[in-house]
Amino acid sequence: PGAARADEAEDKLAGQLASVARDFRQPLAARVAAARALGKLGPRAALAVPDLVGIIDRLRGDELEPLQEATVEALGQIGSAARSALPA
């Protein structure tokens, strides 16, 4: 039971962080911090992979480069669960 609760809490946290990272109304610094926090969760943030991929797909322009870098780094830190993000 305790492990299941921890997994649920991590899934909830990953979902909340992904929500901040993809929300264009949030300040860039907050979005970058959220993406970096997802990376620190590593494989436990696998739930956020689709959101991170969506961020990369939508980002264009140098002004968002810090978010692009943080998102790519997070996918790398998530590991094998992020393979879906790789181009075929």
Side-chain angles (χ1 to χ4, degrees):
R5 279 200 191 127
D7 288 345
E8 286 177 26
E10 288 171 348
D11 285 350
K12 184 176 180 181
L13 176 60
Q16 290 170 336
L17 289 168
S19 178
V20 171
R22 72 173 183 262
D23 186 349
F24 285 89
R25 297 170 297 180
Q26 295 291 330
L28 180 60
R31 296 176 71 201
V32 169
R36 287 187 178 142
L38 286 165
K40 288 180 181 176
L41 284 174
R44 296 170 302 180
L47 180 76
V49 168
D51 290 310
L52 294 171
V53 172
I55 291 168
I56 291 172
D57 287 343
R58 286 184 304 233
L59 288 179
R60 301 290 180 261
D62 291 342
E63 72 277 1
L64 296 176
E65 190 172 312
L67 182 57
Q68 291 169 334
E69 290 174 0
T71 302
V72 170
E73 287 174 16
L75 286 167
Q77 291 170 325
I78 290 170
S80 63
R83 286 185 195 234
S84 66
L86 296 173

